[in-house]
Amino acid sequence: MTLNKEVLEIRQRIKVRPSPTNEPAASWTGVDLVNGTQVKTLTVIFKSAGCRWGKAGGCTMCGYVYDCASEPPTLEDYKAQLARAMKKAEKFPEFMVKIFTSGSFLDEQEVPSEARDTILKTLADDPKVVKVLAETRPNFVTEENVQECLKILKNKPFELAFGLETSSDRIRRDSINKGFTFRDFVRASEIAKKNGATVKAYLMLKPLFLSERQAIEDIVRSIDDAAPYADTVSINLCNVQKGTLVEALWEKGQYRPPWLWSIVEILQRAKATHPELPLMSDPVGAGSKRGPHNCKTCSSDVADSLRTFSLTQNPEDLSKADCECKELWRKVLELDDFTYGAPILD
């Protein structure tokens, strides 16, 4: 059985409740860096027709595919989704908008061009919106659609975000089942930059079938490889989402989310090598069994230090706590390759 077929069989067993198409899947406010300055943000996950890759099987760790609409939203639905989300930022003097669809904003089969253009025009006409970010798979990036987005935004700063996950094509294929190559990312990034957009690369710490040490080395190497093409690198820590292959193996005791100490080490090493490259990490679900965690004593404080570092870019803000569990983490790095194994890298 192929990896994609295994993922698809799990997806087909999950029952998804119908939900209103005029409400976003989720939206929230936060803070991010824009040209080195902390700026309020509004993140909107639009309820779209659904990730085309996810419907065909998709990524081993992604449960966001279940956030899609039960039927394709209309243009009026998309307008209503944006309006509902924008209310959360109405008191901000200025803010950045991050657009996600649990798929690809530039895939016209997922988000029709009319809806895409209407969303961007609404943001372009709002003087409080200082920057727009949109996530897409790199294979949907073309000279034409990047130029069209920038034209609609009236040259308002525009950033394309890619779920690169790793620079290793083998890990992306045999662990994550991502469906594109590093070369695809490079091509899309070069198109974006050539036309005046910036690039954000998302990496994934510890997908399936990697030991803790191998996961660390993969991200450090991936930051090095992505740095020439990305203006920002954000490291997501794998968590256990419902209806995924990661969950199926986690329930059997065959997967553990990454240690928070691992991302601290990664950021310390990578920032020393790339001092001018913004590096970020917001550990979703930190401290829980399904999320990245150390022990109960230190997980919360270490996670907070990661969020602080993401805004300051100062390595001094990374946790220097000397919790007892740190020694256990070191032992894991030493022994995990022997006790757990890593079949895709053997």
Side-chain angles (χ1 to χ4, degrees):
M1 180 180 289
T2 65
L3 186 60
N4 190 72
K5 187 175 181 181
E6 182 74 24
V7 175
L8 184 58
E9 285 193 358
I10 292 172
R11 299 233 189 275
Q12 291 171 339
R13 293 197 296 266
I14 302 297
K15 294 182 179 180
V16 181
R17 289 183 180 179
S19 58
T21 54
N22 61 354
E23 298 177 1
S27 61
W28 64 89
T29 59
V31 183
D32 209 331
L33 287 179
V34 176
N35 297 326
T37 301
Q38 295 184 29
V39 173
K40 294 285 188 181
T41 60
L42 171 67
T43 299
V44 187
I45 302 181
F46 283 93
K47 199 176 293 176
S48 69
C51 175
R52 205 192 311 184
W53 179 247
K55 288 180 176 181
C59 305
T60 56
M61 74 293 182
C62 182
Y64 298 126
V65 67
Y66 306 117
D67 290 335
C68 70
S70 52
E71 58 185 46
T74 65
L75 177 60
E76 293 306 312
D77 285 332
Y78 279 110
K79 289 180 180 178
Q81 289 186 43
L82 180 60
R84 284 174 181 267
M86 291 289 278
K87 288 181 180 179
K88 294 185 177 181
E90 59 187 5
K91 294 183 179 179
F92 295 161
E94 61 177 26
F95 57 100
M96 170 184 176
V97 176
K98 299 180 179 182
I99 299 171
F100 298 89
T101 66
S102 301
S104 295
F105 187 62
L106 296 185
D107 178 6
E108 294 186 12
Q109 287 190 24
E110 181 180 352
V111 180
S113 58
E114 185 181 21
R116 180 194 72 203
D117 295 349
T118 298
I119 290 168
L120 293 178
K121 187 176 187 309
T122 302
L123 300 178
D125 292 342
D126 190 329
K128 297 195 295 183
V129 176
V130 297
K131 183 177 180 178
V132 176
L133 173 149
E135 185 181 36
T136 185
R137 290 172 63 84
N139 45 306
F140 297 117
V141 173
T142 65
E143 294 267 2
E144 292 74 21
N145 60 23
V146 172
Q147 290 172 2
E148 183 64 20
C149 289
L150 286 164
K151 181 181 178 182
I152 294 171
L153 285 169
K154 302 172 184 176
N155 293 318
K156 188 168 284 193
F158 182 52
E159 187 158 78
L160 283 174
F162 303 107
L164 173 62
E165 318 303 3
T166 171
S167 64
S168 166
D169 284 340
R170 187 174 189 187
I171 293 173
R172 196 180 312 99
R173 181 191 68 218
D174 296 339
S175 171
I176 304 173
N177 193 45
K178 195 73 186 185
F180 64 78
T181 67
F182 185 71
R183 183 61 214 166
D184 294 329
F185 162 75
V186 170
R187 181 200 65 83
S189 298
E190 290 175 341
I191 289 174
K193 290 195 168 192
K194 174 185 174 183
N195 288 282
T198 54
V199 172
K200 186 172 190 176
Y202 287 105
L203 301 178
M204 173 64 64
L205 175 60
K206 203 180 179 186
L208 292 176
F209 316 130
L210 295 182
S211 70
E212 195 80 19
R213 180 187 60 79
Q214 289 171 329
I216 291 172
E217 297 305 324
D218 171 58
I219 294 296
V220 171
R221 181 173 55 251
S222 295
I223 292 171
D224 291 342
D225 293 341
Y229 310 102
D231 299 281
T232 303
V233 173
S234 181
I235 300 109
N236 292 325
L237 281 63
C238 191
N239 56 66
V240 182
Q241 297 180 10
K242 292 185 180 297
T244 63
L245 181 59
V246 166
E247 183 187 53
L249 296 182
W250 173 76
E251 288 177 337
K252 295 176 181 178
Q254 296 174 1
Y255 178 79
R256 183 205 190 274
W259 288 71
L260 292 168
W261 294 126
S262 295
I263 184 61
V264 170
E265 172 165 323
I266 288 166
L267 292 173
Q268 288 171 335
R269 289 169 58 180
K271 199 62 182 176
T273 306
H274 305 280
E276 302 304 317
L277 178 66
L279 299 171
M280 300 177 178
S281 185
D282 182 4
V284 176
S288 68
K289 290 182 179 180
R290 285 178 172 262
H293 59 276
N294 294 339
C295 70
K296 292 181 180 180
T297 301
C298 71
S299 286
S300 179
D301 288 342
V302 176
D304 286 344
S305 80
L306 294 169
R307 298 183 184 104
T308 299
F309 166 82
S310 296
L311 294 176
T312 66
Q313 295 298 297
N314 184 357
E316 293 297 317
D317 289 325
L318 290 168
S319 177
K320 294 181 173 58
D322 194 19
C323 185
E324 290 182 359
C325 74
K326 202 168 191 177
E327 186 57 35
L328 176 58
W329 166 74
R330 292 192 181 102
K331 286 295 182 183
V332 168
L333 297 185
E334 180 182 342
L335 300 173
D336 203 18
D337 286 349
F338 301 102
T339 59
Y340 174 77
I344 70 166
L345 294 182
D346 283 350

